[in-house]
Amino acid sequence: MTVYEQRDPRFRALIHANAQLRQIGTGFEWTEGPVWFPAAQMLLFSDIPAHRMMRWTAETGCSIFREDSDYSNGNTRDPQGRLVTCHHGMRGVVRTEHDGSRSILASHHGGKRLNSPNDLIVHSDGSVWFTDPTYGILSNLEGYKADPEQEGSFVYRLPPGGGAPRAVITDFVQPNGLCFSPDEKVLYVAESGGSQDPEAPPAIRAFDLGPDGVLTNRRDFALIDRGRPDGIRCDANGNLWSSAADGVHVFAPDGVLLGKILVPEVVSNICFGGARGNRLFITATTSLYQIAVNAAAADWPA
Ligand code: MG
């Protein structure tokens, strides 16, 4: 039976009390990076240490999508419906074109290799935003051990149409998941640096997003009270759904914790999908979970 933890009466409108949290795949090493493709009714996600990408459909369940994933982590879909992926192996961001060929969008900043791009989103203007913590080069588990060449773990923006990445946030310890508000006026970024630096709070921070990717008004949006935030997503009403050690935490647009969906494994990332956009897919350690919710993705067609 699904266990919910309500913290605010508004939570009830976002869930179905009888909906079951279902494990729809397991046996993986560390799952991450779920992305839904409406045209194919397909979910893709990464199994990072196993060096593979998986596919899930309602008809076929889980199967291997890519055997040699180059330690893929975060995945997203751009406005043209193309898969865009962060790779720890080549330490870059790669777009898979409709014909199956692959284009490297970013691998260096200031002439030096990136750390290990972790998660990414694409703005409706075509700009690609990604985080670059060091998790993929700390050991040989999720990539290839190496010393960082960058001076820090930054958030980057690739301009619409491509070009060099510009560091837009440089004061996080380890930036991780990120998402836009439904109107794309706010950028949220998760700080997971507590894994290295106990002083780094498990914070989700918000920034106002202006034209040409200018960020202002940095503020703390919320703190995760179990573990650290990794992947985050906004729903169509601007509520923010975050990964956490004990499940999925749901915050109102004002940052109030509304409630939690408890998950029996540490959650790394989430995305909305399914035929009507109202299924929450949850990558959690060795498994993939799904639950029906009364919310839909921010970019779901109305
Ligand atoms: Mg991540």
Side-chain angles (χ1 to χ4, degrees):
M1 204 183 83
T2 306
V3 181
Y4 298 105
E5 217 178 275
Q6 181 180 310
R7 299 292 180 89
D8 183 292
R10 287 176 283 176
F11 186 58
R12 281 200 292 275
L14 296 173
I15 52 139
H16 298 294
N18 292 327
Q20 296 303 306
L21 179 74
R22 295 191 298 134
Q23 187 189 59
I24 56 174
T26 193
F28 308 109
E29 288 196 51
W30 179 264
T31 56
E32 250 280 11
V35 58
W36 179 255
F37 286 85
Q41 292 291 297
M42 166 182 82
L43 184 87
L44 297 181
F45 62 100
S46 300
D47 183 359
I48 306 176
H51 202 240
R52 61 185 182 174
M53 277 181 71
M54 307 300 298
R55 168 195 0 235
W56 177 91
T57 71
E59 291 75 27
T60 62
C62 288
S63 58
I64 293 173
F65 176 72
R66 273 182 191 160
E67 197 67 78
D68 179 359
S69 68
D70 192 35
Y71 295 106
S72 68
N73 185 337
N75 296 288
T76 196
R77 198 181 67 232
D78 74 5
Q80 288 76 36
R82 297 171 293 192
L83 169 67
V84 192
T85 301
C86 290
H87 292 275
H88 291 176
M90 57 82 67
R91 295 161 66 173
V93 177
V94 174
R95 184 174 64 218
T96 302
E97 309 296 346
H98 288 307
D99 66 6
S101 64
R102 300 186 206 178
S103 309
I104 297 174
L105 303 186
S107 59
H108 289 71
H109 169 246
K112 297 172 181 168
R113 296 186 77 184
L114 297 169
N115 296 324
S116 51
N118 187 292
D119 210 348
L120 76 173
I121 48 176
V122 182
H123 191 278
S124 61
D125 69 7
S127 58
V128 178
W129 299 66
F130 65 94
T131 57
D132 187 41
T134 57
Y135 297 118
I137 55 173
L138 291 176
S139 74
N140 287 319
L141 180 65
E142 296 195 349
Y144 304 102
K145 188 177 189 317
D147 292 327
E149 297 179 20
Q150 299 295 327
E151 285 167 17
S153 295
F154 303 151
V155 180
Y156 294 96
R157 176 182 182 264
L158 288 165
R166 178 167 62 87
V168 290
I169 299 173
T170 57
D171 62 350
F172 276 47
V173 178
Q174 296 275 36
N176 201 319
L178 68 183
C179 70
F180 295 121
S181 61
D183 60 8
E184 297 185 320
K185 289 183 174 164
V186 180
L187 170 72
Y188 297 97
V189 183
E191 168 67 271
S192 64
S195 54
Q196 265 75 44
D197 177 358
E199 299 294 305
I204 299 167
R205 300 198 177 98
F207 302 80
D208 290 339
L209 175 55
D212 298 322
V214 174
L215 299 175
T216 55
N217 191 23
R218 174 195 199 275
R219 67 248 184 216
D220 279 346
F221 170 75
L223 286 174
I224 295 295
D225 63 9
R226 290 286 183 281
R228 292 176 289 276
D230 191 337
I232 53 177
R233 289 285 188 283
C234 274
D235 67 27
N237 293 316
N239 302 300
L240 186 143
W241 302 58
S242 176
S243 56
D246 59 345
V248 178
H249 297 192
V250 186
F251 297 92
D254 61 5
V256 171
L257 176 61
L258 301 179
K260 302 180 179 185
I261 303 168
L262 298 185
V263 177
E265 297 182 77
V266 172
V267 174
S268 68
N269 218 323
I270 51 180
C271 79
F272 294 95
R276 299 173 67 189
N278 59 0
R279 295 290 191 277
L280 188 68
F281 290 93
I282 301 166
T283 52
T285 312
T286 65
S287 302
L288 175 69
Y289 295 87
Q290 187 207 69
I291 186 169
V293 294
N294 196 26
D299 61 353
W300 199 257

